[in-house]
Coordinates of all heavy atoms in Angstrom, one line a residue:
T721 N 45.5 8.9 -53.2 CA 45.3 8.9 -51.8 C 45.5 10.4 -51.3 O 44.8 10.7 -50.4 CB 46.3 7.9 -51.0 OG1 47.6 8.4 -51.4 CG2 46.0 6.7 -51.5
D722 N 46.3 11.2 -52.0 CA 46.6 12.6 -51.5 C 46.5 13.5 -52.6 O 46.8 14.8 -52.4 CB 47.8 12.6 -50.7 CG 49.0 12.1 -51.6 OD1 48.9 11.9 -52.7 OD2 50.2 11.9 -50.9
S723 N 46.1 13.1 -53.9 CA 46.1 13.9 -55.1 C 47.4 14.6 -55.5 O 47.5 15.8 -56.0 CB 45.0 15.0 -54.9 OG 43.7 14.4 -55.0
K724 N 48.5 14.0 -55.0 CA 49.9 14.5 -55.4 C 50.2 13.9 -56.9 O 49.9 12.8 -57.1 CB 51.0 14.1 -54.3 CG 50.6 14.9 -53.0 CD 51.8 14.6 -52.1 CE 51.8 15.5 -50.8 NZ 52.8 15.0 -49.8
T725 N 50.9 14.8 -57.4 CA 51.4 14.5 -58.9 C 53.0 14.3 -58.8 O 53.5 15.3 -58.3 CB 50.9 15.5 -59.8 OG1 49.6 15.6 -59.8 CG2 51.4 15.3 -61.2
Y726 N 53.4 13.3 -59.7 CA 54.8 13.1 -59.7 C 55.2 12.9 -61.2 O 54.5 12.4 -62.0 CB 55.2 11.7 -59.0 CG 54.9 11.8 -57.5 CD1 53.7 11.5 -57.0 CD2 56.0 12.1 -56.7 CE1 53.4 11.6 -55.6 CE2 55.7 12.3 -55.2 CZ 54.5 12.0 -54.8 OH 54.1 12.1 -53.4
E727 N 56.5 13.4 -61.6 CA 57.0 13.3 -62.8 C 58.1 12.3 -62.7 O 59.0 12.5 -61.8 CB 57.4 14.6 -63.5 CG 56.3 15.5 -63.8 CD 56.8 16.8 -64.5 OE1 58.0 16.9 -64.6 OE2 56.1 17.7 -64.8
G728 N 58.2 11.3 -63.6 CA 59.3 10.3 -63.5 C 60.0 10.1 -64.8 O 59.3 10.2 -65.9
V729 N 61.2 9.9 -64.9 CA 62.0 9.6 -66.0 C 62.6 8.2 -65.7 O 63.3 8.1 -64.7 CB 63.1 10.6 -66.4 CG1 64.0 10.1 -67.6 CG2 62.5 11.9 -66.6
I730 N 62.3 7.3 -66.7 CA 62.7 5.9 -66.5 C 63.6 5.6 -67.6 O 63.4 5.6 -68.7 CB 61.5 4.9 -66.4 CG1 60.4 5.4 -65.6 CG2 61.9 3.6 -66.0 CD1 60.6 5.5 -64.1
S731 N 64.9 5.0 -67.1 CA 65.8 4.5 -68.2 C 65.4 3.1 -68.5 O 65.5 2.2 -67.6 CB 67.2 4.6 -67.7 OG 68.1 3.9 -68.6
L732 N 65.0 2.9 -69.8 CA 64.6 1.5 -70.2 C 65.9 0.8 -70.6 O 66.0 -0.5 -70.5 CB 63.7 1.6 -71.4 CG 62.2 2.2 -71.1 CD1 61.5 2.5 -72.4 CD2 61.5 1.2 -70.2
T733 N 66.8 1.5 -71.0 CA 68.3 0.9 -71.3 C 68.9 0.4 -70.0 O 69.3 -0.8 -70.0 CB 69.1 2.0 -71.9 OG1 68.4 2.5 -73.0 CG2 70.5 1.4 -72.4
D734 N 68.9 1.1 -68.9 CA 69.5 0.8 -67.7 C 68.5 0.1 -66.7 O 69.0 -0.3 -65.5 CB 70.3 1.9 -67.1 CG 71.4 2.4 -68.0 OD1 71.9 1.7 -68.8 OD2 71.7 3.6 -67.9
E735 N 67.3 0.2 -67.0 CA 66.3 -0.4 -66.1 C 66.3 0.1 -64.7 O 66.4 -0.6 -63.8 CB 66.2 -2.0 -66.2 CG 66.1 -2.6 -67.4 CD 66.1 -4.1 -67.4 OE1 66.6 -4.7 -66.4 OE2 65.4 -4.7 -68.2
K736 N 66.1 1.5 -64.7 CA 66.1 2.2 -63.4 C 65.3 3.5 -63.5 O 65.2 4.0 -64.6 CB 67.6 2.5 -62.9 CG 68.4 3.4 -63.6 CD 69.8 3.5 -63.0 CE 70.6 4.6 -63.8 NZ 71.9 4.8 -63.2
V737 N 65.0 4.0 -62.4 CA 64.3 5.3 -62.3 C 65.6 6.3 -62.3 O 66.4 6.4 -61.4 CB 63.5 5.6 -61.1 CG1 63.0 7.0 -61.0 CG2 62.4 4.5 -61.0
V738 N 65.4 7.3 -63.3 CA 66.5 8.3 -63.4 C 66.1 9.5 -62.6 O 67.0 10.1 -61.8 CB 66.7 8.7 -64.8 CG1 67.7 9.9 -65.0 CG2 67.1 7.5 -65.7
S739 N 64.9 9.9 -62.5 CA 64.4 11.1 -61.7 C 62.9 10.7 -61.3 O 62.3 10.2 -62.0 CB 64.6 12.3 -62.5 OG 63.7 12.4 -63.5
W740 N 62.7 11.3 -60.2 CA 61.3 11.2 -59.6 C 61.0 12.6 -58.8 O 61.6 12.7 -57.8 CB 61.2 10.0 -58.7 CG 59.8 9.6 -58.4 CD1 59.0 10.0 -57.3 CD2 58.8 8.9 -59.3 NE1 57.7 9.4 -57.3 CE2 57.7 8.8 -58.6 CE3 59.0 8.2 -60.5 CZ2 56.4 8.1 -59.1 CZ3 58.0 7.6 -61.0 CH2 56.7 7.6 -60.4
T741 N 60.2 13.3 -59.4 CA 59.9 14.7 -58.8 C 58.3 14.8 -58.4 O 57.6 14.7 -59.3 CB 60.4 15.8 -59.8 OG1 61.7 15.5 -60.2 CG2 60.2 17.1 -59.2
H742 N 58.2 15.4 -57.3 CA 56.8 15.8 -56.8 C 56.6 17.2 -57.5 O 57.4 18.2 -57.4 CB 56.7 15.9 -55.3 CG 55.4 16.5 -54.9 ND1 55.4 17.5 -53.9 CD2 54.1 16.2 -55.3 CE1 54.1 17.8 -53.8 NE2 53.4 17.0 -54.5
V743 N 55.5 17.4 -58.2 CA 55.1 18.7 -58.8 C 53.9 19.2 -57.9 O 52.8 18.7 -58.1 CB 54.8 18.5 -60.3 CG1 54.5 19.8 -60.8 CG2 55.9 17.9 -61.0
P744 N 54.0 20.2 -57.2 CA 53.0 20.6 -56.2 C 51.9 21.5 -56.9 O 52.2 22.1 -58.0 CB 53.7 21.5 -55.2 CG 54.9 21.9 -55.9 CD 55.4 20.9 -57.0
D745 N 50.8 21.3 -56.4 CA 49.6 22.2 -56.9 C 49.2 22.0 -58.4 O 49.0 23.1 -59.0 CB 49.9 23.7 -56.5 CG 50.3 23.9 -55.1 OD1 49.7 23.3 -54.2 OD2 51.2 24.7 -54.7
V746 N 49.3 20.9 -58.9 CA 48.8 20.8 -60.3 C 48.0 19.5 -60.3 O 47.9 18.7 -59.5 CB 50.0 20.4 -61.3 CG1 51.0 21.7 -61.2 CG2 50.8 19.2 -60.9
Q747 N 47.1 19.5 -61.4 CA 46.2 18.2 -61.7 C 46.5 17.8 -63.0 O 46.4 18.6 -64.0 CB 44.8 18.7 -61.5 CG 44.3 18.9 -60.1 CD 44.5 17.8 -59.1 OE1 44.4 16.7 -59.6 NE2 44.5 17.9 -57.9
P748 N 46.9 16.5 -63.3 CA 47.1 16.0 -64.6 C 45.7 15.9 -65.3 O 44.7 16.2 -64.7 CB 47.6 14.6 -64.4 CG 48.0 14.6 -63.0 CD 47.2 15.6 -62.2
S749 N 45.7 15.7 -66.5 CA 44.5 15.7 -67.4 C 43.7 14.5 -67.0 O 44.1 13.6 -66.2 CB 44.8 15.6 -68.9 OG 45.6 14.2 -69.2
F750 N 42.5 14.5 -67.4 CA 41.5 13.3 -67.2 C 42.2 11.9 -67.6 O 42.7 11.9 -68.7 CB 40.1 13.6 -67.8 CG 39.4 14.6 -67.3 CD1 38.3 15.1 -68.0 CD2 39.6 15.2 -66.0 CE1 37.5 16.1 -67.4 CE2 38.9 16.2 -65.6 CZ 37.8 16.7 -66.3
L751 N 41.9 11.0 -66.9 CA 42.4 9.7 -67.2 C 41.2 9.0 -68.0 O 40.0 9.1 -67.6 CB 42.7 8.9 -66.0 CG 43.8 9.3 -65.0 CD1 43.8 8.7 -63.7 CD2 45.1 9.4 -65.7
F752 N 41.5 8.1 -69.0 CA 40.6 7.5 -69.8 C 39.5 6.8 -68.9 O 38.2 6.8 -69.3 CB 41.3 6.5 -70.7 CG 40.5 5.9 -71.8 CD1 39.9 6.8 -72.9 CD2 40.0 4.6 -71.8 CE1 39.1 6.3 -73.9 CE2 39.1 4.1 -72.8 CZ 38.8 5.0 -73.8
E753 N 39.9 6.2 -67.9 CA 39.1 5.4 -67.0 C 38.1 6.2 -66.2 O 37.1 5.8 -65.7 CB 39.8 4.6 -66.0 CG 40.7 3.3 -66.7 CD 42.0 4.0 -67.3 OE1 42.4 5.1 -67.0 OE2 42.7 3.2 -67.9
E754 N 38.4 7.6 -66.0 CA 37.7 8.3 -65.1 C 36.3 8.7 -65.8 O 35.3 9.1 -65.1 CB 38.4 9.6 -64.7 CG 39.6 9.4 -63.8 CD 40.4 10.6 -63.4 OE1 40.5 11.4 -64.4 OE2 41.0 10.6 -62.4
Y755 N 36.3 8.7 -67.1 CA 35.0 9.0 -67.9 C 33.9 8.1 -67.4 O 32.8 8.6 -67.0 CB 35.3 8.8 -69.4 CG 36.0 9.9 -69.9 CD1 37.3 10.1 -69.7 CD2 35.5 10.9 -70.9 CE1 38.1 11.0 -70.3 CE2 36.2 11.8 -71.5 CZ 37.6 12.0 -71.1 OH 38.3 12.9 -71.8
S756 N 34.1 6.7 -67.4 CA 33.0 5.9 -67.1 C 32.8 5.7 -65.5 O 31.8 5.7 -65.1 CB 33.3 4.4 -67.6 OG 34.6 4.0 -67.2
E757 N 33.9 6.0 -64.7 CA 33.8 5.9 -63.3 C 33.0 7.1 -62.9 O 32.2 7.0 -61.9 CB 35.2 5.9 -62.7 CG 36.0 4.6 -62.8 CD 37.5 4.8 -62.4 OE1 37.8 5.9 -61.7 OE2 38.2 3.8 -62.7
L758 N 33.2 8.2 -63.4 CA 32.4 9.5 -63.0 C 30.9 9.2 -63.4 O 30.0 9.5 -62.5 CB 33.0 10.7 -63.8 CG 32.1 12.0 -63.5 CD1 33.1 13.2 -63.3 CD2 31.2 12.3 -64.8

């Protein structure tokens, strides 16, 4: 919706989000689905 990117660390042991960080001014790599959608 706004092209913002977030990094998250999830504890699978404790079943909770350990950290959630907005990383400004970056673009993640292509998503597999974007190939056919494009």
Side-chain angles (χ1 to χ4, degrees):
T721 61
D722 55 15
S723 291
K724 288 185 177 180
T725 299
Y726 299 86
E727 293 181 0
V729 175
I730 314 297
S731 172
L732 296 166
T733 304
D734 297 331
E735 297 187 335
K736 68 178 184 179
V737 175
V738 174
S739 66
W740 194 261
T741 307
H742 171 230
V743 185
D745 303 322
V746 299
Q747 291 296 337
S749 68
F750 289 166
L751 304 171
F752 190 70
E753 297 81 3
E754 289 174 334
Y755 286 68
S756 56
E757 292 173 7
L758 176 141

